Amino acid sequence: MSTERAGILLVDDMEDNLTALEAVLASLNEPLIRARSGEEAMKAVLRQPIALVLLDIRMPGMDGFETAAHIKRLDQTRDVPIIFLTGADDDSGYAFRGYATGAADYVTKPFDPWVLRAKVGVFLDLYRKGREVERLRAEVQDLKRRVEKGTQGPTPRETPRTSPRSDACTPAPQQAASASDSA
């Protein structure tokens, strides 16, 4: 399993918008990956793990809807949540089209920095919990394989667990002998 941290992909053709997103999200201490086009975004999702995509809808060339459709078609990114970003004056049908394309959320610009950071934080938390579930699932599978092979002893990083309660309830051998002597 890779120890590389998954990043947040920021996709917008406007430099000022990317700078604003970076300023809002920097306090989350997660890798922020920039892309100025749908094509750059596709290259980015193939190069490294992505936890979340913030994607502008209106871009020259491959627009946000088309970019999202491509991201959702790839096996390794099909489950990556996408938050669409668009101007407040854009077509009201954009929201429906965004959700139909697979968006997890839809935010209009200008956005409230606190709200956007909170939304991104929720998606990052879900991503981390999903990775933890995958890690635990792999450990369970490994344990099952070891049990089936008859090598079920503790691994070097595991330690046998004893509960203090079981020690307190079990008399020491000397106590057991003296108890039987006095009976």
Side-chain angles (χ1 to χ4, degrees):
M1 176 166 215
S2 172
T3 58
E4 183 179 5
R5 289 175 37 204
I8 302 168
L9 179 59
L10 312 174
V11 187
D12 199 306
D13 60 313
M14 305 293 290
E15 181 66 27
D16 290 347
N17 292 342
L18 290 171
T19 302
L21 287 170
E22 286 175 329
V24 167
L25 301 175
S27 65
L28 295 174
N29 296 318
E30 295 296 334
L32 301 175
I33 300 103
R34 296 170 140 243
R36 300 259 331 239
S37 68
E39 292 82 4
E40 281 184 32
M42 293 309 299
K43 289 176 185 172
V45 298
L46 294 172
R47 276 195 306 260
Q48 61 204 58
I50 301 293
L52 173 67
V53 178
L54 276 75
L55 179 59
D56 184 35
I57 290 177
R58 292 194 303 163
M59 296 185 295
M62 187 187 310
D63 70 11
F65 298 120
E66 191 177 350
T67 303
H70 285 300
I71 290 170
K72 292 297 183 179
R73 281 188 203 115
L74 297 172
D75 287 339
Q76 68 264 39
T77 55
R78 125 176 357 144
D79 296 325
V80 172
I82 296 172
I83 297 177
F84 275 118
L85 303 171
T86 192
D89 60 340
D90 284 342
D91 181 349
S92 63
Y94 277 11
F96 174 77
R97 189 171 169 201
Y99 288 121
T101 307
D105 207 347
Y106 185 90
V107 175
T108 57
K109 300 179 212 170
F111 51 81
D112 180 325
W114 296 100
V115 171
L116 183 64
R117 192 173 20 258
K119 287 178 184 240
V120 168
V122 167
F123 284 110
L124 289 173
D125 193 42
L126 289 170
Y127 175 83
R128 289 181 199 111
K129 287 178 180 174
R131 299 299 75 79
E132 180 66 9
V133 167
E134 287 177 13
R135 185 189 67 73
L136 291 171
R137 184 177 292 130
E139 281 186 24
V140 167
Q141 291 302 320
D142 182 54
L143 184 58
K144 281 176 65 176
R145 279 191 294 277
R146 287 188 290 140
V147 167
E148 290 168 358
K149 290 181 181 179
T151 58
Q152 58 197 12
T155 62
R157 67 184 189 113
E158 294 174 337
T159 57
R161 293 187 173 98
T162 59
S163 93
R165 184 167 170 81
S166 65
D167 293 342
C169 295
T170 307
Q174 294 171 338
Q175 292 174 334
S178 62
S180 64
D181 292 341
S182 62

